[in-house]
Amino acid sequence: MSLIVVSQVLLWITVAVLGVLVAALARQVGVLHERIAPAGALTLHQGVKVGDAAPEMHVKSLGGDAVVVGGARGRSQLIFFLSPDCPICKTLLPVFKSAAAAERGWLDAILASDGDEAAHRRLMMAEGLAGFPYVLSEDLGRRFGVSKLPYAVLIGEDGKIASLGLVNTREHLESLFEAKERGVASLQDFLAKR
């Protein structure tokens, strides 16, 4: 047998072995994908918990309007904590706007932060956020135990915290609505009870 024939046979054997390995790897990825549960918003150790009465606060928005956060009001409130220098916050703003528009029948959406007012005004103009109450209050973030951004709190119609957590993706933000709908603190709690 010539050297070319031997090299061709070895090459085809190698290709066949690689094909089997790729198929096995693809199967294993599929198995892992089925085992991974959807991850909701990460609930950090904070002073307030789901089911607690939300701290009621009267604050002013950047537009000068009075905004009441918390309290029983017949509508839910979504408070989205952000920062002008947080890149993840900026990528989530279209998601926040979309969710607020889709859920406007039962939900009031509020943007909250603290810091330099001029920077927040620039962010508000650049991202088209003039339609939302935008509150600058360090005390508001402290009362809700916000330690990392972006963070969101969903307050139910009864004034109690329905869900809250660190939100890094669309799925995290939507998991707050899902947790409220299912009456659980988080999707992780729901999956643990199953």
Side-chain angles (χ1 to χ4, degrees), residues 6-83:
V6 172
S7 69
Q8 287 293 319
V9 169
L10 289 176
L11 180 63
W12 280 108
I13 290 172
T14 304
V15 168
V17 169
L18 283 175
V20 170
L21 288 175
V22 167
L25 182 62
R27 182 183 178 281
Q28 198 60 26
V29 167
V31 169
L32 287 173
H33 187 268
E34 286 178 6
R35 289 184 187 165
I36 295 174
L42 177 63
T43 307
L44 304 171
H45 300 289
Q46 67 279 337
V48 294
K49 297 184 291 291
V50 171
D52 290 352
E56 187 172 340
M57 294 184 65
H58 298 266
V59 291
K60 283 217 181 267
S61 72
L62 287 177
D65 299 327
V67 178
V68 179
V69 175
R73 45 189 302 116
R75 290 177 58 84
S76 292
Q77 286 182 314
L78 175 66
I79 307 166
F80 184 71
F81 292 90
L82 72 160
S83 173

Side-chain angles (χ1 to χ4, degrees), residues 20-181:
V20 170
L21 288 175
V22 167
L25 182 62
R27 182 183 178 281
Q28 198 60 26
V29 167
V31 169
L32 287 173
H33 187 268
E34 286 178 6
R35 289 184 187 165
I36 295 174
L42 177 63
T43 307
L44 304 171
H45 300 289
Q46 67 279 337
V48 294
K49 297 184 291 291
V50 171
D52 290 352
E56 187 172 340
M57 294 184 65
H58 298 266
V59 291
K60 283 217 181 267
S61 72
L62 287 177
D65 299 327
V67 178
V68 179
V69 175
R73 45 189 302 116
R75 290 177 58 84
S76 292
Q77 286 182 314
L78 175 66
I79 307 166
F80 184 71
F81 292 90
L82 72 160
S83 173
D85 57 354
C86 169
I88 297 172
C89 298
K90 289 178 184 174
T91 62
L92 280 178
L93 284 174
V95 174
F96 169 80
K97 292 192 295 190
S98 170
E103 309 297 337
R104 71 178 164 264
W106 62 275
L107 181 73
D108 295 327
I110 300 169
L111 295 162
S113 192
D114 63 359
D116 180 36
E117 184 176 332
H120 287 283
R121 287 190 183 280
R122 284 191 299 273
L123 176 68
M124 188 169 74
M125 298 312 289
E127 298 293 334
L129 303 173
F132 297 99
Y134 198 131
V135 174
L136 292 184
S137 172
E138 185 177 337
D139 191 37
L140 182 64
R142 284 187 182 166
R143 288 200 182 179
F144 284 105
V146 177
S147 61
K148 296 184 187 281
L149 295 176
Y151 197 85
V153 178
L154 182 61
I155 302 171
E157 299 84 5
D158 57 359
K160 294 184 179 178
I161 297 174
S163 57
L164 69 156
L166 187 66
V167 290
N168 289 325
T169 64
R170 172 184 288 276
E171 290 77 18
H172 290 168
L173 187 62
E174 290 174 352
S175 76
L176 298 177
F177 302 134
E178 189 69 26
K180 177 187 181 298
E181 186 177 301

